[in-house]
Amino acid sequence: MLDVKKIRLILELREAGISDTKILSAIEKIPREKFIPENFRNQAYDNLALPIGDNQTISQPFVVAKMTQLLEIHQNHKILEIGTGSGYQSAILSKLARRVYTIERIKNLLIKAEKVFKDLKISNIVSKYADGNLGWKEQIPFDRIIITAATNQISKEISSQIHEGGIIVSPMVNNNKQIIMKYKKINNVLISEVFDDVLFVPNLSGTE
Ligand code: SAH
């Protein structure tokens, strides 16, 4: 049953403009049901965000695919993710890049995500419990940075930790809505482009 739904989801993503076959294949390979609480598992391949506890959500598959596509990932890339949440987005990135560094501010969620990475034998994700807006300075510079919580402003730490030519993708708060923004660092300045409307949980400072 989940398999039929998975095929349907892949077709839906393709129709919605996800043309990168490596991304579609990563979505096919990573079992999304493992990142979701048991009572929601039958909806794992619906194109929906779902609750993961601690008032947080696993992002909608389309949004995961779209943000991943905007990152233009190469297999030798080192990626930083802010907002591990369920770990699903990190797992997708792990299939496309050399190494993924992911930061989560809610301890309980990070412990659960780390267990899933281990169960799935994913060994190129490194995670830490911290406020992601401070970045991960021991690992700089990053080729790509993805923020998966609604953000008012890209912190100066984050903008300084991306490589020249690197890309940052983040949902940004704009008036009363949120939009996906893509930033490319050119001559040390972030040049922005606007994409789809989205709905993410907020990016918060500190840890809990
Ligand atoms: N990428 C996740 C999406 C989770 S929702 C997934 O695939 O499931 C966003 C997550 O960002 C939440 O778990 C929230 O606790 C976390 N978050 C919000 N602000 C943060 C910050 N400043 N640093 C680290 N994590 C943060």
Side-chain angles (χ1 to χ4, degrees), residues 8-20:
R8 211 183 295 149
L9 174 64
I10 304 277
L11 290 173
E12 192 181 329
L13 295 177
R14 217 193 265 266
E15 273 166 24
I18 308 305
S19 51
D20 186 329

Side-chain angles (χ1 to χ4, degrees), residues 15-113:
E15 273 166 24
I18 308 305
S19 51
D20 186 329
T21 51
K22 284 195 193 128
I23 296 176
L24 294 169
S25 140
I27 289 174
E28 206 176 326
K29 281 194 202 117
I30 298 291
R32 189 168 182 256
E33 64 275 19
K34 300 267 193 243
F35 297 86
I36 291 172
E38 241 157 71
N39 49 332
F40 288 104
R41 281 195 185 151
N42 60 344
Q43 295 179 72
Y45 296 99
D46 292 349
N47 196 5
L48 292 174
L50 294 168
I52 53 170
D54 294 275
N55 289 321
Q56 306 302 322
T57 52
I58 178 171
S59 309
Q60 187 192 358
F62 170 71
V63 173
V64 171
K66 178 76 189 198
M67 291 177 78
T68 306
Q69 188 159 277
L70 290 175
L71 282 172
E72 300 175 30
I73 299 170
H74 293 265
Q75 61 187 20
N76 62 341
H77 277 166
K78 192 164 130 183
I79 304 185
L80 175 66
E81 179 192 28
I82 294 153
T84 316
S86 67
Y88 180 69
Q89 172 79 68
S90 335
I92 296 293
L93 297 172
S94 78
K95 292 276 171 249
L96 305 167
R98 179 163 58 89
R99 198 166 289 277
V100 179
Y101 294 85
T102 184
I103 309 178
E104 172 56 56
R105 63 179 293 282
I106 300 178
K107 186 92 182 232
N108 188 31
L109 291 177
L110 189 62
I111 291 169
K112 283 196 265 181

